[in-house]
Amino acid sequence: MDAYFMTERHEKLRQEVRTFAETEVRLRLDEMEESREVQQELSRLIARQGWIGVTIGREYGGMGLGHLAKTIIIEELARVSGAMGAMVQASQLGVAKILHFGSEQQKSAWLPAVARGDCLPTIAVTEEQSGGHVLGMTANAVRDGDDYVLNGRKVFVGNSHVGDVHGVVVRTGSGSTGLSAFLVEADRPGFSLGEHKPSMGLHGFSFGELIFEDCRVPAANRLGAEGDGLAVAYSSSILYGRPNLTAVSLGIHQALVDETTRFAADRTRYGKPLGELLPIKLKIGQLQSRLMTARLAAYHAVYLLDQGLPCDAELMNAKLINVEYALDSARNAMEVHGAVGLYPDRPVERYLRDAHHIFAPAGTSDIQLLRLAEVAMGTDKGQWSQRLAPRITAGFVNS
């Protein structure tokens, strides 16, 4: 199946990332789990490999390899560490807003730095009181001469504590046309971070709070026109957020299957390997079936995106299938491991915790189902993949 979508360049990239993950990342796993602190040094090391710039065109110093290559990078990192897979996906999500809505000056200023690994971008939309209801946000920006003054808070911002430039969507007016997006540098006066709060899983990753208190930002930092904020948020979520999180789920899912099959081969019951017992063998077969289906959905969706074809529905469906299947397989993997799986010295309990973190961002499974229902009934509001395809596929090299 992989051969249908992948080229020799994709295969080489997979091996490069896998080798790095098995050495540089795996060696730090125990420290990450024990400290639960943000992995600043490792995040920077990963960025310096150039992988954050995988969808950035070569004219800006990027790899120009497209979304399938991006999926492979995130998947291979997440197979070893869901936290580092999440770190890369969040930064690549931050790339989207600049690629889609940045001026030529903004692209020239930021994209080469991102591609080199000198800059980690984020996107900040969610607020505590409004959650996934984007239009319910209250953080705002007021024009003051050549600047805007930002006030408010954003939560659950991926890479909050390692980000160098934050793409922030705030309210500049009323209604759906009253949102605008800005690039806010992390060292800008009036900007600060909330305390890092360790969570259930993804130890080493930060998804925290950004605070704006009379934070003055030049008008030149606005992405697109006033009123483009909703488009910045939605397009970034659909074209990058959903496939990126799909890739994290896929990597965790692969790790679950790898670990469970190893465990079943090593353990014996009733004089034979655990994996030869019929109930266990059926569960392992189910794991493999889910994984194959999930990978097919993931690769097919981003393959279409790389070809510039309409694929919003496929991206939604890939996120739905990968998240739900990874969670189902995590439960089954724990069943196969039994009580042993409850101890932190077995990675399966980490995979279970990490998998739960991928459920909500870029839309819960219910949101994906609602949007897919609109596709089925012909009431969807158009295709972001179709509108922005020329810009996101310009650098793709199919070799």
Side-chain angles (χ1 to χ4, degrees):
M1 177 196 70
D2 292 1
Y4 178 84
F5 301 107
M6 294 173 58
T7 66
E8 184 178 342
R9 181 67 185 92
H10 290 123
E11 294 284 4
K12 182 180 178 182
L13 178 63
R14 183 187 296 281
Q15 290 306 314
E16 291 172 357
V17 181
R18 180 171 294 185
T19 299
F20 178 93
E22 289 292 350
T23 53
E24 298 293 344
V25 178
R26 192 173 292 281
L27 289 175
R28 294 170 168 85
L29 283 176
D30 289 343
E31 174 194 341
M32 292 164 65
E33 288 301 305
E34 291 172 8
S35 72
R36 304 177 74 179
E37 295 176 353
V38 179
Q39 283 291 311
Q40 297 276 355
E41 180 183 340
L42 181 55
S43 297
R44 298 292 171 182
L45 179 60
I46 292 172
R48 289 196 295 272
Q49 308 309 305
W51 296 328
I52 309 299
V54 64
T55 62
I56 296 174
R58 293 182 178 178
E59 67 274 22
Y60 298 110
M63 298 175 71
L65 292 178
H67 290 270
L68 177 55
K70 171 167 61 68
T71 294
I72 292 167
I73 290 169
I74 298 170
E75 175 192 355
E76 287 299 324
L77 288 168
R79 189 180 66 85
V80 173
S81 166
M84 289 302 100
M87 188 284 293
V88 171
Q89 80 80 22
S91 284
Q92 289 175 335
L93 175 58
V95 167
K97 64 188 183 295
I98 303 174
L99 283 177
H100 297 165
F101 292 91
S103 65
E104 185 55 43
Q105 183 178 3
Q106 289 168 337
K107 290 178 182 179
S108 297
W110 291 106
L111 294 181
V114 172
R116 289 193 306 269
D118 294 337
C119 173
L120 289 173
T122 79
I123 190 165
V125 179
T126 305
E127 297 181 11
E128 186 173 1
Q129 299 304 319
S130 55
H133 176 41
V134 175
L135 293 179
M137 71 172 60
T138 59
N140 63 86
V142 177
R143 185 73 182 252
D144 182 20
D146 292 333
D147 298 334
Y148 285 84
V149 180
L150 276 62
N151 281 282
R153 294 172 178 243
K154 296 292 178 179
V155 296
F156 308 134
V157 178
N159 281 346
S160 54
H161 286 61
V162 298
D164 298 298
V165 61
H166 303 285
V168 187
V169 179
V170 293
R171 189 161 287 288
T172 51
S174 60
S176 61
T177 59
L179 303 181
S180 301
F182 299 88
L183 293 170
V184 182
E185 299 90 337
D187 59 357
R188 189 163 288 280
F191 169 79
S192 61
L193 295 167
E195 180 185 359
H196 170 64
K197 298 179 180 179
S199 59
M200 178 176 72
L202 296 185
H203 299 157
F205 176 60
S206 62
F207 58 108
E209 183 179 31
L210 310 185
I211 304 169
F212 305 92
E213 297 175 307
D214 292 331
C215 180
R216 188 170 288 271
V217 177
N221 281 28
R222 190 184 65 216
L223 286 163
E226 271 202 20
D228 281 348
L230 191 63
V232 171
Y234 280 178
S235 63
S236 298
S237 176
I238 292 171
L239 300 183
Y240 274 71
R242 284 170 180 162
N244 288 6
L245 291 159
T246 293
V248 177
S249 287
L250 183 58
I252 294 171
H253 201 165
Q254 181 67 66
L256 281 162
V257 174
D258 292 345
E259 175 61 23
T260 304
T261 53
R262 275 195 300 268
F263 179 80
D266 292 343
R267 290 286 173 128
T268 58
R269 288 294 184 272
Y270 312 110
K272 63 177 66 176
L274 186 63
E276 292 186 15
L277 300 179
L278 183 59
I280 301 301
K281 201 168 188 178
L282 288 172
K283 286 186 184 298
I284 292 174
Q286 184 68 71
L287 296 182
Q288 180 66 13
S289 176
R290 288 196 197 107
L291 178 63
M292 292 174 68
T293 303
R295 178 167 282 113
L296 179 60
Y299 284 15
H300 178 240
V302 290
Y303 177 83
L304 293 176
L305 189 55
D306 279 335
Q307 303 307 309
L309 298 172
C311 57
D312 286 34
E314 286 81 0
L315 293 169
M316 297 171 196
N317 191 51
K319 204 255 179 180
L320 171 71
I321 286 176
N322 273 269
V323 167
E324 292 295 331
Y325 279 13
L327 287 170
D328 287 343
S329 289
R331 184 196 66 212
N332 289 155
M334 291 293 286
E335 291 168 350
V336 172
H337 280 75
V340 172
L342 301 174
Y343 289 102
D345 62 340
R346 304 297 306 198
V348 67
E349 65 90 31
R350 170 167 57 88
Y351 303 147
L352 174 66
R353 290 186 285 106
D354 289 352
H356 278 282
H357 279 257
I358 315 303
F359 177 78
T364 66
S365 293
D366 280 350
I367 292 296
Q368 312 306 330
L369 289 171
L370 287 171
R371 297 294 171 261
L372 288 169
E374 292 170 357
V375 171
M377 295 187 292
T379 57
D380 59 296
K381 298 177 177 63
Q383 301 257 353
W384 284 107
S385 52
Q386 194 167 29
R387 285 182 240 177
L388 297 175
R391 286 183 245 179
I392 61 175
T393 61
F396 179 71
V397 178
N398 190 29
S399 63

